């Protein structure tokens, strides 16, 4: 079998993964994109240099088939793919809430399936993806899926029962950070700073704090305490956050996302 990769669906996450793969050195000639939207083929070919088709039968020669379509479209897609996949093809699903069992039930028995929960920082090669292997997935299959996702970030392999928590933490997580950044920028404007300056201050602060967490390996509590002088400005701010219940609200928010993820996946 050739080492062709077929990407079915070229929306935001599909294009994000495709861009990461090409930046990591994959030959555009080894990739075929299946996208049925009118007029998309020429645009995608010009941008990425890959072959674009509108027929799922073109996945027949692919060693790996990545499914990056909306969850509501997965059932029909899997049914149409079932008779065309190569016998030992690896199927990687990026569709939120779609279980490996759902995919396996619609594909040829023994098909290797890996379920992935990526996130949007993959767009700048700083993504975090949780991966869960299906019942017929070998260690080699899983390693291949990890290699694909590492082209645009980091990966963590977990039992599938944990993917709802992954969705709540890292899948939805960028929105929580953006939400806090919005609030901090508004505070800067309230205090008289130009919006552009407030935005630059906050964004670089968030980037720098994240880099400290990653590079020092220290617990966030230790790093927080290093910033917090007794009776100082940071202590006053943190006291207000605690009195407003921000920590408890964040825990509740993540739990709410987890609950909704379980509902969507039928857990």
């Amino acid at each position: 079998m050739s080492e062709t990769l077929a990407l079915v669906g070229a929306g935001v996450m599909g294009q994000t993964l495709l861009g990461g793969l090409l930046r990591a050195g994959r030959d555009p000639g080894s990739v075929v994109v299946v996208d049925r939207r009118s007029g998309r083929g020429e645009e995608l070919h010009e941008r990425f240099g890959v072959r674009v088709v509108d027929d799922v039968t073109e996945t027949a020669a692919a060693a790996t088939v990545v499914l990056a379509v909306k969850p509501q479209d997965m059932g029909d897609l899997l049914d149409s793919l079932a008779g065309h996949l190569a016998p030992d093809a690896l199927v990687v699903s990026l569709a939120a809430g779609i279980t490996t069992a759902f995919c396996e039930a619609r594909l040829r028995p023994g098909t290797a399936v890996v379920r992935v929960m990526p996130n949007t920082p993959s767009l700048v090669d700083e993504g975090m993806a949780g991966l869960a292997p299906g019942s017929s997935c070998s260690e080699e299959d899983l390693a291949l899926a990890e290699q694909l996702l590492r082209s645009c970030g980091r990966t963590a392999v977990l039992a599938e029962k944990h993917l709802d928590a992954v969705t709540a933490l890292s899948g939805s997580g960028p929105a929580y950070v953006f939400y806090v950044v919005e609030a901090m920028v508004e505070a800067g404007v309230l205090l008289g700073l130009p919006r552009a300056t407030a935005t630059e201050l906050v964004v670089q602060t968030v980037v720098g704090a994240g880099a400290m967490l990653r590079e020092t390996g220290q617990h966030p509590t230790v790093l927080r305490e290093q910033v917090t002088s007794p009776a100082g400005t940071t202590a006053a701010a943190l006291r207000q956050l605690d009195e407003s219940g921000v920590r408890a609200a964040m825990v509740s928010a993540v739990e709410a996302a987890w609950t909704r993820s379980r509902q969507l996946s039928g857990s």
Side-chain angles (χ1 to χ4, degrees):
M1 185 194 302
S2 72
E3 290 303 313
T4 300
L5 181 143
L7 172 64
V8 184
V12 174
M13 194 51 68
Q15 289 189 48
T16 294
L17 178 58
L18 177 58
L21 289 170
L22 298 179
R23 287 191 297 274
R26 178 174 283 270
D27 178 9
S30 71
V31 179
V32 57
V33 176
V34 181
D35 195 303
R36 296 176 175 175
R37 290 173 293 179
S38 177
R40 293 283 288 164
E42 183 176 349
E43 176 187 341
L44 291 169
H45 175 71
E46 289 181 358
R47 180 178 177 187
F48 297 107
V50 298
R51 186 164 66 95
V52 184
V53 299
D54 60 4
D55 188 349
V56 294
T57 63
E58 295 283 348
T59 62
T64 304
V65 180
V66 179
L67 309 181
V69 300
K70 295 178 180 178
Q72 61 266 31
D73 296 332
M74 278 291 285
D76 289 342
L77 172 60
L78 291 166
D79 290 340
S80 63
L81 277 175
H84 302 293
L85 293 177
D88 53 352
L90 167 64
V91 175
V92 179
S93 171
L94 306 185
I98 300 297
T99 65
T100 57
F102 180 94
C103 296
E104 291 167 347
R106 287 160 176 79
L107 298 173
R108 182 185 296 111
T111 299
V113 177
V114 177
R115 177 182 170 189
V116 178
M117 183 64 232
N119 67 7
T120 56
S122 300
L123 186 64
V124 291
D125 296 340
E126 289 289 352
M128 185 68 228
L131 290 81
S135 62
S136 298
C137 182
S138 68
E139 290 187 6
E140 181 180 358
D141 293 325
L142 184 58
L144 178 56
E146 280 197 274
Q147 182 181 4
L148 288 175
L149 273 299
R150 284 175 181 163
S151 67
C152 49
R154 299 191 176 199
T155 61
V157 176
L158 306 97
E160 190 164 8
K161 66 181 180 180
H162 295 307
L163 279 200
D164 293 312
V166 172
T167 299
L169 278 176
S170 62
S172 298
Y176 314 152
V177 176
F178 301 147
Y179 185 89
V180 171
V181 167
E182 284 181 296
M184 292 177 68
V185 170
E186 290 303 318
V189 172
L190 179 66
L191 298 176
L193 291 172
R195 183 170 295 275
T197 301
T199 300
E200 183 178 9
L201 289 167
V202 174
V203 170
Q204 183 56 35
T205 297
V206 171
V207 171
M212 287 182 68
L213 284 165
R214 173 183 288 178
E215 294 176 18
T216 68
Q218 292 187 308
H219 194 280
T221 299
V222 173
L223 295 176
R224 176 179 57 78
E225 289 177 345
Q226 290 175 356
V227 186
T228 311
S229 302
T233 58
T234 306
L238 293 174
R239 183 184 66 184
Q240 183 62 53
L241 290 174
D242 286 339
E243 290 179 353
S244 299
V246 171
R247 185 187 297 265
M250 180 58 71
V251 172
S252 295
V254 174
E255 185 178 30
W258 172 79
T259 299
R260 183 56 179 154
S261 179
R262 287 172 58 82
Q263 291 171 346
L264 291 173
S265 63
S267 300

